[in-house]
Amino acid sequence: MGRYRCLSCKSEFELDDNASTIRCERCGCRFVEVLEAENRKRGKSWSAKSFSVGKSS
C-alpha cells in the first residue's frame, strides 16, 4: 500500500502498489503526489527549476 495526495483536491488516500493507474478516489484526478510508497519515487517537486538560462551576448 502507498499513500498519495491529490494535487487538485488535496485529499490523501491509499492505493495498492499493484494498481496500474493512480487516480484520486475523490475527484478522479491523475495528478498525485507520492507521500509514502515502497516501489515509487517521489521525484522532483513541481516547483523545482530544471532549466538553464543561456548566456546572452
Side-chain angles (χ1 to χ4, degrees), residues 3-25:
R3 285 187 47 222
Y4 303 91
R5 177 184 301 131
C6 178
L7 295 176
S8 179
C9 69
K10 306 293 188 221
S11 66
E12 293 185 13
F13 57 94
E14 291 188 359
L15 279 179
D16 188 17
D17 287 336
N18 297 329
S20 60
T21 58
I22 300 174
R23 289 187 179 266
C24 175
E25 296 173 338

Side-chain angles (χ1 to χ4, degrees), residues 3 6 8 11 18 26 31 33 39 42-43 50 53-54 56:
R3 285 187 47 222
C6 178
S8 179
S11 66
N18 297 329
R26 197 164 115 193
F31 300 107
E33 176 184 4
N39 299 324
R42 275 191 72 129
S50 61
V53 178
S56 61

Side-chain angles (χ1 to χ4, degrees), residues 7 32-34 41-51:
L7 295 176
V32 298
E33 176 184 4
V34 178
K41 295 180 182 177
R42 275 191 72 129
K44 287 185 179 179
S45 167
W46 282 56
S47 62
K49 298 199 177 1
S50 61
F51 60 90

